[in-house]
């Protein structure tokens, strides 16, 4: 098991247009995958993506997985639902 130190809140979930990411960690990458594992969105930043808004209005309705990676390469994956 991966005992990482990332604690993250993602809301609203389900979402329609925007998802807010809140974390005490410095998030540098956010990737969104379809249930088939296809990458549908990747966001990279030299600054902190914590407390940022991710535009998901271009994604089709359904279930996705959002992987967040911090500056120490710890990662956590959360299931998100797009309406």
């Amino acid at each position: 098991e991966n005992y990482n130190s990332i604690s993250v809140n993602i809301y609203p979930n389900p979402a329609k247009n925007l998802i807010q990411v809140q974390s005490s960690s410095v998030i540098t990458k956010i990737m969104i995958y379809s249930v088939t594992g296809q990458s549908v969105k990747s966001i990279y930043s030299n600054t902190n993506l914590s407390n940022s808004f991710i535009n998901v209005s271009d994604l089709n309705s359904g279930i996705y997985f959002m992987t967040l990676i911090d500056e120490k390469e710890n990662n956590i994956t959360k299931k998100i639902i797009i309406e």
Side-chain angles (χ1 to χ4, degrees):
E1 280 190 58
N2 185 4
Y3 294 100
N4 56 47
S5 56
I6 298 183
S7 163
V8 66
N9 287 318
I10 297 171
Y11 61 89
N13 190 9
K16 281 184 170 43
N17 299 312
L18 291 174
I19 290 180
Q20 184 167 13
V21 173
Q22 284 193 321
S23 178
S24 54
S25 302
V26 176
I27 305 295
T28 55
K29 295 179 198 150
I30 296 175
M31 283 147 338
I32 301 177
Y33 298 94
S34 67
V35 286
T36 58
Q38 179 183 8
S39 175
V40 294
K41 192 177 283 278
S42 299
I43 301 154
Y44 303 95
S45 179
N46 294 325
T47 59
N48 193 354
L49 291 168
S50 299
N51 304 313
S52 60
F53 289 92
I54 310 301
N55 185 345
V56 293
S57 62
D58 56 330
L59 299 179
N60 293 325
S61 299
I63 296 170
Y64 295 85
F65 294 96
M66 178 182 279
T67 298
L68 302 100
I69 303 173
D70 72 7
E71 58 187 345
K72 298 177 186 134
E73 293 296 315
N74 294 312
N75 69 78
I76 190 168
T77 300
K78 297 275 193 178
K79 182 167 87 170
I80 58 172
I81 298 170
I82 306 301
E83 293 183 325

